Structure formats: structure tokens, C-alpha cells
Amino acid sequence: MSTEPSAYHRRVAEEKRAAILTAATGLFLASGYDGTSLARIAEAAGVSKATLFKQFPTKAALFDAIVTESWQVEDADAPEPSAEDLEAGLATIGHRYVELLTRPGMTALFRIVIAELPRFPELGEAQFSRGKMPYFESVSRYLVAADRAGSAKVDDPDLAATQFLGMISNFVFWPTLLLTDWAPQRTAIEHAVREAVNTMCARYQT
């Protein structure tokens, strides 16, 4: 007899995991990281404490999972951006970055980290090392590939990645931390991405 979980049980486990992550994010934002217990999260998620502890034995492990999930590209099977065509590749990366920054919960996640950072610096480390840096490094690697492919001349890929992502996030994301009504139109976002791509191409395209 197979000991592998059935498709039904895998689906149920995934649904419970999603419910736990959603409940935890909401409670962390409302009551703070320190003021939220795993027992309260289990109750809000509609799961038993045993179920929660099986998946997330500590609050830190749960927060790490929230960060990791939040920074996952939605379509992991999508083709890699073209290193031979810098303009097209950067446009793909730019639109994927917008999707990440504007997905539900991303602003809340940053607010949790900022609010709790003085008492729990490990939350900032988790957000940086498990979320932001892996994505940043993927963009830096793309620029190295573009340089090798001959479509760009990039001597400092980390600086170039900072420039590109900064041009987008400074318009799309950072204002949301201070302005509750910041919601630029899709056309304005598209314009910001296009201008960031044009600026990068003017600077780095061969």
C-alpha cells in the first residue's frame, strides 16, 4: 500500500496552509508580531493547533513562510526573459516585478516588518534574505547574461539591477507605505515600466 498522500489530502493540506498564512498576516498586522500567538492564528485560520504546529513549529518559521510565499513569481514555469533582447527581457522583468509589488498582502508585509523591526530585527533579516535579495539576485543574473549575450554592456550588474528595480518600485510600491489611497492607474504603471526600460536601454544596450 502506498504511503504517499492522495491528491485530495495534498489539496486539503495546501488549503490549510494558505488559510494559516492569510490568518497570520492579518493578525500580525492588527496585533503585532509579538502580540499574536500561534494559538490565535490557528483559531483564525480554522485549523487545529496540532495542524498548525505540524506545518509551522515556531512563529519565526511561519513568518519565513509568509515572506517566501509573498516573493514567489506567480508563473514559475514562464519562459526566462530573453538575454539576447535587452528591451524585451527588461520589460518582462519589470512587469513581473509590478505583479509582485502590487499583489495583496505585500504592503502589509512590509508594514509588519517596519513596525516590529526595533524589537525583532530577525523579521527584517527574513524579509531581506528570503524575499528581496533572491529576487534582486535573479535580476542581477539576468543582466550578467545580457552582457555575455552581447545585448548589453553592464560592468556593475548589482548597481544596474538597483537602478532598474528602484525606478519601478519608487512609483509603484513605496508610496503605498505612507499613502493609504495610493493606487495608480494601470496605464500609469505601464508608463513607469516602459520608461524604466527605455532608461536602462539608453544606458546599457549595445
Side-chain angles (χ1 to χ4, degrees):
M1 179 180 295
S2 173
T3 59
E4 290 293 319
S6 66
Y8 168 77
H9 287 96
R10 287 196 300 271
R11 187 178 74 252
V12 169
E14 289 170 0
E15 290 172 352
K16 289 182 177 180
R17 177 185 174 85
I20 291 168
L21 295 177
T22 299
T25 301
L27 286 171
F28 287 157
L29 185 61
S31 303
Y33 181 80
D34 192 37
T36 302
S37 67
L38 289 176
R40 283 186 65 198
I41 294 170
E43 181 180 3
V47 302
S48 68
K49 286 187 285 186
T51 296
L52 187 147
F53 289 136
K54 182 178 180 181
Q55 294 210 32
F56 307 106
T58 66
K59 197 158 50 172
L62 176 53
F63 189 81
D64 284 353
I66 291 173
V67 170
T68 302
E69 292 270 340
S70 296
W71 283 88
Q72 291 300 310
V73 176
E74 196 166 82
D75 189 358
D77 296 325
E80 289 295 315
S82 171
E84 289 76 23
D85 186 338
L86 184 69
E87 183 177 355
L90 288 175
T92 297
I93 292 171
H95 288 110
R96 288 178 181 175
Y97 192 45
V98 168
E99 186 278 322
L100 278 174
L101 295 178
T102 59
R103 64 176 40 168
M106 184 61 86
T107 300
L109 180 62
F110 271 81
R111 285 176 175 159
I112 292 167
V113 172
I114 292 169
E116 298 286 7
L117 193 58
R119 291 186 299 164
F120 299 98
E122 64 270 20
L123 300 187
E125 174 62 27
Q127 171 75 320
F128 191 79
S129 63
R130 295 182 182 274
K132 184 174 176 59
M133 277 307 294
Y135 188 81
F136 174 86
E137 288 167 354
S138 73
V139 178
S140 183
R141 287 194 301 272
Y142 167 78
L143 292 167
V144 171
D147 184 274
R148 290 173 178 168
S151 63
K153 177 60 175 174
V154 185
D155 295 325
D156 189 339
D158 286 349
L159 175 61
T162 299
Q163 292 167 338
F164 182 56
L165 299 179
M167 283 188 282
I168 295 172
S169 62
N170 198 52
F171 175 74
V172 173
F173 179 73
W174 295 118
T176 66
L177 295 178
L178 300 174
L179 305 174
T180 57
D181 60 348
W182 183 262
Q185 296 293 317
R186 174 54 60 175
T187 53
I189 293 175
E190 292 285 345
H191 180 69
V193 172
R194 185 168 59 252
E195 286 300 304
V197 171
N198 290 343
T199 300
M200 291 291 289
C201 287
R203 171 65 178 84
Y204 295 107
Q205 193 171 42
T206 54

